[in-house]
Amino acid sequence: MTQTLFRENAYRTECSATVTAITEQGIVLDRTVFYPLGGGQAGDAGLLILADGREITISDTRKGKNAEGQFTEAICHLPDPVQQVGLQVGDRVTARIDWTRRHRLMRFHSTTHLLCHLVPQLVNGCSITPDHARLDFNMTDPLDKDELTAGIARLVSAAHPLVVGSISDAELDANPALVKSMSVQPPRGSGHVRTIRIGGPGAEQMIDLQPCGGTHVANTAEIGAVIVTKIEKKSATTRRVVLGFAP
């Protein structure tokens, strides 16, 4: 099991850790700040720094899988295959993410939640990379690129706070509309499901509330200038919205 420090604080860029396993799937640590591929968001990249100063470049991060192909509670750090740095179970390392890359992912991920407010339709596909992001909406009506870009800019400038919370499995069952994705269901079993709220409660306008395990900015103002670069009709019932950073 890997302790997921990124869920507690998305702004933490490094941590000390102990190597607990080295497998074909990657290097497993007892704790990490590296986010693994999931929920449409790309896995983190960065460095593992050994006690003697040697560095192992991590090109991707994935969730571990068992022999049946089911996800485990291990997080696997994928090293660049050309490296020849010795590492053993029990070694102490410093795990350090590529913060510039992660922050771009956080900004895009939070923007996709703003899009869910602007386009109140179910989502049937999502991809968040450091260079662009996309959401596929289950709908037939056309979307306007300029209107969506303006809507994003309005929500960004309003400086709405983003708050990490949780609801019980029973609360989620009672409010199925909180789940915006048609293809990915939030993880259950622990009794509580992590949520991201934008805006609200009280006098602050509620913009969005949905289950999410990804990393986000603390305030929409931090997103900066994100624009809709393209809208595609992927099928008769799917409209794809592609996001990019403004030049």
Side-chain angles (χ1 to χ4, degrees):
M1 176 179 179
T2 305
Q3 183 182 359
T4 53
L5 301 178
F6 54 83
R7 297 203 197 283
E8 302 168 13
N9 182 3
Y11 290 85
R12 184 168 181 175
T13 60
E14 66 178 61
C15 70
S16 59
T18 301
V19 178
T20 59
I22 302 173
T23 72
E24 292 182 353
Q25 296 184 52
I27 300 166
V28 182
L29 307 176
D30 64 338
R31 61 207 297 261
T32 190
V33 291
F34 281 70
Y35 179 85
L37 171 71
Q41 181 176 328
D44 277 328
L47 297 171
L48 298 184
I49 306 170
L50 283 65
D52 61 6
R54 289 178 296 163
E55 298 179 348
I56 298 175
T57 300
I58 301 300
S59 57
D60 198 1
T61 310
R62 301 292 180 96
K63 298 174 183 177
K65 293 183 179 181
N66 60 22
E68 289 72 42
Q70 300 169 323
F71 289 124
T72 68
E73 294 185 340
I75 293 178
C76 301
H77 306 74
L78 281 62
D80 189 318
V82 303
Q83 297 172 100
Q84 299 294 327
V85 179
L87 189 68
Q88 297 181 348
V89 171
D91 283 351
R92 295 284 292 171
V93 299
T94 296
R96 180 181 298 161
I97 60 170
D98 179 338
W99 170 247
T100 300
R101 182 179 182 275
R102 156 73 79 76
H103 194 231
R104 291 170 70 92
L105 290 167
M106 291 165 60
R107 292 164 64 195
F108 271 141
H109 200 153
S110 297
T111 307
T112 64
H113 284 221
L114 297 182
L115 265 182
C116 288
H117 169 76
L118 296 170
V119 186
Q121 304 290 338
L122 289 173
V123 174
N124 58 19
C126 175
S127 175
I128 301 163
T129 76
D131 299 317
H132 56 80
R134 64 166 173 80
L135 278 184
D136 294 343
F137 290 99
N138 184 55
M139 60 186 300
T140 57
D141 293 336
L143 292 169
D144 186 276
K145 182 173 68 171
D146 293 335
E147 286 184 5
L148 288 180
T149 293
I152 292 169
R154 183 179 67 253
L155 293 169
V156 167
S157 64
H160 295 290
L162 283 83
V163 180
V164 178
S166 68
I167 58 175
S168 68
D169 288 349
E171 288 175 305
L172 184 59
D173 290 337
N175 297 275
L178 291 178
V179 180
K180 309 297 174 66
S181 174
M182 299 172 63
S183 56
V184 180
Q185 290 296 309
R188 298 170 180 263
S190 66
H192 288 83
V193 177
R194 184 177 186 265
T195 60
I196 298 294
R197 187 186 79 231
I198 304 179
E204 173 78 28
Q205 179 190 5
M206 175 70 78
I207 301 301
D208 187 70
L209 172 64
Q210 60 178 292
C212 182
T215 58
H216 289 268
V217 297
N219 190 289
T220 60
E222 193 178 332
I223 290 172
V226 171
I227 61 174
V228 175
T229 61
K230 183 165 49 175
I231 293 177
E232 299 176 307
K233 181 179 179 180
K234 300 303 293 183
S235 72
T237 57
T238 300
R239 299 295 180 269
R240 173 170 293 178
V241 179
V242 182
L243 300 170
F245 292 115

